[in-house]
Amino acid sequence: MISIKSVAHSYNNNQQLSFKDWQINDGEQWLLLGESGSGKTTLLHILTGILKPQHGEVSVSDTSIYNLSSKNLDQFRGRNIGIIFQRPHLIKSLTIAENLLLAQSFAQLPEDHRRIDEVLESLDILHKKNAYPNELSQGQLQRVSIARAVINKPALLIADEPTSSLDDKNAESVLQLLIQQSGLNKATLIVATHDKRVKDAFTNTYNLV
Amino acid sequence: MSPLKISWKSLWSKPLSAWLNIMLIAFGTSILTILLLASSQIEDKLNNNSKDIDLVVGAKGSPLQLILSSIYYIDFPTGNIPLKEANELSKNPFVKRATPLALGDNYNGVRIVGTDSNFVSLYSLKTQSGKFWKADLEATIGSIVAKEQNLKVGDTFYGAHGLTENKDQHKDHKYKVVGILAPQGNVTDNLILTNIASIWKMHEEPHEQKEDEEHDHGKEEAVEIQNREITSLLIQYRSPMSVAMFPRMVNQMTSLQSASPAMESTRLFSLIGVGVDTLQWFAVLIMLIAAISVFVNLYNSLKERNYDLAVMRTLGASRSKLFVIVILEGLIVTIAGTIIGIALGHFVLELIGNYQESSQAKLSGSIFITSEFYLLLAGLGIGIFASIIPAIQAYSSNISKILAKN
């Protein structure tokens, strides 16, 4: 279960962003809707444990994440939260398989090549396993970044504008993959977007004002 | 995926700048290695050859020249001294052992030294075949001489006048090789040893035939022979007390001068030292430039990569892990550079040794010394120096801010 309670944050004491309480049950799929500047990225960063809010409490899998030490929080994030960015951001000097190995070892989990093959297979990019990121197309890269997010079977999968730089066809397929992968890995899914094409696929919506 | 592998792969994603930095470090290190090795070997050779000799007595002139000619067999002798005075000095109570030397002839550039059995005990010589010289015109030769001149026991050869190769041979007397020395690792490997009387004999005959042959030496030599002269005396003191008394005593005798090998090699070293110092600073400067270059490279690549590093944090890497990854990247470059540099230094020195003409001071690249270990440490230090600022930046970066920018 994931919840935020009376969370508020402000940058440099400017206008304060406060977020209404939110509770997500395991396995649910949510849409986080909001225009640019509404604090969408801020809320995502707070949820993923990379930005400590000035007020309020955040818990993921019943762990109050901001009570963890910096090092434990990093490890917790690596194991329990998978993040998909608007752009793939793979490490260019490493092959696809090595990028996934990296995610395993940073989370201090054993390296598991079978798991890597399994995830790449389910995303239909196993044949690119030993290629470097600059040899892949944008759509393939986005699929690798989904693979990287789910490789450690996280409890929470968060996607930040995963479709905004893609055309209709790719956007649709990425969305399907996200829903499919969160189901496969029994992960709770949150997709933050202002992309209208995405809305119909979700029943649960959290609106930022 | 260990941090080492991550740093390694990230480094080689830009092979050109990686190589540039490694080469800069290697170049600086190899110059330092050559300097270290060469000066330690020269110093060793100097000390090894003069180790039991407290004082050299010879004709007045440059003391350094006297040392170079009588201990290292490099320079020309300062002149001759009367045998009579030399003998008096040998009997002096301060002196434990006095070894007379008579120089002036060579065989194909190898110096022929006229001396007595004191020379054998002074350098603790042993023969590997044959025996030591005894009668006139018998010669015992150094191990390298035997190899390079292809001489065996029983062979004969003509000596030539002077200390460098020339055609002015003493055709009247043949030397006979009676023994070959075991390798000593000092100057004696490169000498031909005989008795003093042989050297005198060489120079007697031409004098008698002087009129027909128009020999260079003329009348001076006639006088020389009558008075019997030698080139120098190698002195070992009986007690440390002699140090204070004996040299002064010698220098007061009008025709003689004394020179201390220890003092003169120190002086020689301080003369070469200026050049060595300059080169050393030059090498340090190169290393410093290399360090700055490594720093700039890391710093720039970090600016491009700080999104990568932020992503690594979201994947669970801790701050300290990023710190280690960046530091390692600097260290790989500098340590690889240092090791390549040390290897290169040894190789170049071996090459120099192969082309060196003077066999008395041959340099070798196959000798390792402990100071090289400090070079490795220095490489380590430079690596840390160059990468500490980028590493701290990686450590303290605000990933939320970096990720929000995109």
Side-chain angles (χ1 to χ4, degrees):
Chain A
M1 198 176 74
I2 294 141
S3 68
I4 61 172
K5 263 182 220 141
S6 53
V7 166
H9 188 76
S10 66
Y11 294 102
N12 304 326
N13 302 322
N14 285 341
Q15 144 211 19
Q16 176 156 323
L17 295 161
S18 34
F19 303 98
K20 55 187 182 189
D21 293 356
W22 187 6
Q23 189 162 327
I24 306 167
N25 294 315
D26 289 347
E28 285 182 348
Q29 298 178 333
W30 283 78
L31 197 61
L32 172 60
L33 274 178
E35 295 305 315
S36 307
S38 58
K40 208 167 37 183
T41 302
T42 305
L43 181 56
L44 280 186
H45 285 184
I46 289 172
L47 273 172
T48 48
I50 58 178
L51 177 66
K52 186 182 164 106
Q54 282 157 337
H55 307 283
E57 199 178 311
V58 182
S59 58
V60 175
S61 302
D62 301 320
T63 308
S64 176
I65 57 174
Y66 289 105
N67 289 338
L68 296 169
S69 71
S70 160
K71 196 176 172 165
N72 287 340
L73 176 56
D74 285 327
Q75 192 186 344
F76 181 87
R77 186 189 313 119
R79 288 187 177 181
N80 297 292
I81 304 172
I83 308 167
I84 295 141
F85 302 95
Q86 185 176 349
R87 293 206 274 128
H89 288 298
L90 300 170
I91 312 297
K92 290 184 209 69
S93 54
L94 302 176
T95 64
I96 302 308
E98 286 168 340
N99 265 284
L100 299 185
L101 277 174
L102 196 69
Q104 288 177 337
S105 61
F106 278 156
Q108 287 168 18
L109 296 167
E111 295 189 352
D112 182 350
H113 289 268
R114 278 214 348 255
R115 170 69 182 157
I116 289 172
D117 288 353
E118 173 190 315
V119 172
L120 288 176
E121 178 80 70
S122 72
L123 287 158
D124 197 25
I125 38 169
L126 185 57
H127 58 291
K128 293 286 182 187
K129 189 180 167 187
N130 295 315
Y132 283 89
N134 60 8
E135 299 164 29
L136 270 64
S137 71
Q138 200 61 30
Q140 287 171 324
L141 288 175
Q142 194 58 288
R143 274 186 279 165
V144 176
S145 80
I146 295 172
R148 184 175 62 183
V150 301
I151 192 81
N152 295 333
K153 299 194 178 172
L156 173 60
L157 193 57
I158 291 183
D160 185 9
E161 301 278 9
T163 56
S164 61
S165 61
L166 300 174
D167 57 35
D168 287 357
K169 194 168 149 264
N170 271 313
E172 176 60 25
S173 88
V174 163
L175 195 62
Q176 287 312 314
L177 285 174
L178 280 173
I179 292 170
Q180 172 213 336
Q181 287 293 328
S182 76
L184 265 177
N185 297 291
K186 299 181 184 64
T188 305
L189 176 67
I190 299 173
V191 176
T193 191
H194 67 275
D195 189 344
K196 308 241 165 1
R197 298 174 293 186
V198 174
K199 280 178 192 163
D200 300 337
F202 292 86
T203 46
N204 303 315
T205 308
Y206 179 95
N207 270 300
L208 283 164
V209 279
Chain B
M1 292 292 282
S2 65
L4 188 65
K5 188 171 180 197
I6 298 166
S7 312
W8 179 261
K9 292 213 73 164
S10 147
L11 189 67
W12 291 109
S13 67
K14 286 184 177 167
L16 281 182
S17 56
W19 270 119
L20 172 73
N21 288 325
I22 288 177
M23 273 161 53
L24 272 170
I25 302 263
F27 191 52
T29 314
S30 62
I31 293 181
L32 283 177
T33 308
I34 293 171
L35 289 179
L36 273 177
L37 286 179
S39 54
S40 96
Q41 284 180 23
I42 292 172
E43 211 170 330
D44 269 3
K45 285 228 159 81
L46 289 182
N47 293 336
N48 194 19
N49 286 327
S50 66
K51 82 176 170 233
D52 293 318
I53 300 166
D54 295 316
L55 201 74
V56 180
V57 176
K60 287 238 188 287
S62 149
L64 184 57
Q65 193 185 345
L66 180 60
I67 297 290
L68 287 177
S69 60
S70 294
I71 294 185
Y72 305 113
Y73 302 93
I74 299 173
D75 208 348
F76 293 93
T78 45
N80 289 337
I81 58 174
L83 184 63
K84 215 178 95 200
E85 288 184 47
N87 282 339
E88 275 166 31
L89 274 183
S90 308
K91 288 183 197 111
N92 190 287
F94 287 124
V95 175
K96 181 173 135 203
R97 178 188 289 141
T99 310
L101 294 183
L103 303 173
D105 283 355
N106 80 93
Y107 168 67
N108 287 346
V110 180
R111 297 194 180 196
I112 299 172
V113 181
T115 182
D116 60 17
S117 60
N118 279 326
F119 194 88
V120 175
S121 21
L122 181 66
Y123 287 100
S124 331
L125 299 179
K126 286 184 189 72
T127 53
Q128 58 176 342
S129 62
K131 57 181 180 93
F132 288 113
W133 68 98
K134 203 161 186 186
D136 287 3
L137 297 175
E138 285 185 346
T140 304
I141 62 179
S143 57
I144 294 178
V145 181
K147 205 164 17 164
E148 287 181 355
Q149 305 297 340
N150 221 353
L151 288 173
K152 301 179 298 291
V153 175
D155 286 356
T156 55
F157 61 91
Y158 290 112
H161 192 71
L163 296 173
T164 49
E165 275 176 78
N166 64 28
K167 298 267 183 294
D168 186 11
Q169 286 185 343
H170 299 294
K171 288 270 185 189
D172 310 286
H173 295 289
K174 258 189 198 172
Y175 282 108
K176 186 172 179 228
V177 179
V178 295
I180 296 170
L181 297 176
Q184 306 287 326
N186 58 27
V187 281
T188 58
D189 291 344
N190 288 295
L191 295 178
I192 294 172
L193 304 173
T194 185
N195 66 8
I196 295 178
S198 307
I199 305 278
W200 286 334
K201 204 169 201 168
M202 285 291 150
H203 296 97
E204 263 165 31
E205 304 306 321
H207 157 66
E208 279 164 9
Q209 299 167 355
K210 193 197 90 198
E211 257 68 351
D212 356 311
E213 278 191 25
E214 299 243 70
H215 198 278
D216 289 340
H217 291 270
K219 280 181 185 132
E220 291 168 42
E221 210 168 44
V223 180
E224 256 177 46
I225 290 155
Q226 269 154 27
N227 293 330
R228 291 295 192 207
E229 290 186 322
I230 60 167
T231 309
S232 55
L233 268 182
L234 307 178
I235 306 276
Q236 268 181 303
Y237 291 146
R238 189 173 295 280
S239 78
M241 237 177 51
S242 322
V243 182
M245 312 289 294
F246 191 72
R248 205 186 315 156
M249 205 191 81
V250 173
N251 287 335
Q252 276 165 0
M253 297 173 73
T254 48
S255 64
L256 303 185
Q257 77 158 337
S258 67
S260 144
M263 264 171 58
E264 294 309 317
S265 4
T266 316
R267 205 161 67 91
L268 180 64
F269 240 70
S270 70
L271 291 177
I272 328 175
V274 182
V276 172
D277 277 354
T278 316
L279 270 174
Q280 226 153 32
W281 283 113
F282 179 64
V284 168
L285 195 71
I286 291 178
M287 301 271 268
L288 198 71
I289 292 172
I292 292 170
S293 167
V294 174
F295 165 74
V296 169
N297 255 296
L298 271 178
Y299 191 83
N300 280 341
S301 86
L302 213 67
K303 263 196 268 174
E304 287 167 33
R305 283 194 310 163
N306 72 25
Y307 209 99
D308 281 5
L309 290 171
V311 169
M312 288 184 188
R313 286 287 305 282
T314 68
L315 293 175
S318 60
R319 291 171 179 280
S320 35
K321 201 158 231 164
L322 297 195
F323 182 86
V324 169
I325 288 172
V326 175
I327 283 273
L328 277 178
E329 218 174 301
L331 282 183
I332 292 173
V333 170
T334 53
I335 290 180
T338 317
I339 292 174
I340 293 175
I342 289 177
L344 194 70
H346 279 273
F347 176 74
V348 169
L349 203 68
E350 185 69 40
L351 216 63
I352 293 175
N354 274 334
Y355 284 103
Q356 255 178 332
E357 298 232 336
S358 146
S359 44
Q360 311 288 25
K362 206 157 205 147
L363 296 169
S364 153
S366 53
I367 296 164
F368 286 81
I369 55 175
T370 41
S371 334
E372 290 173 68
F373 180 70
Y374 296 112
L375 281 181
L376 257 181
L377 282 187
L380 209 75
I382 287 174
I384 291 173
F385 166 76
S387 52
I388 190 84
I389 293 174
I392 289 174
Q393 267 183 343
Y395 180 87
S396 55
S397 59
N398 180 340
I399 50 173
S400 168
K401 223 180 219 166
I402 294 168
L403 291 173
K405 258 186 212 153
N406 208 302

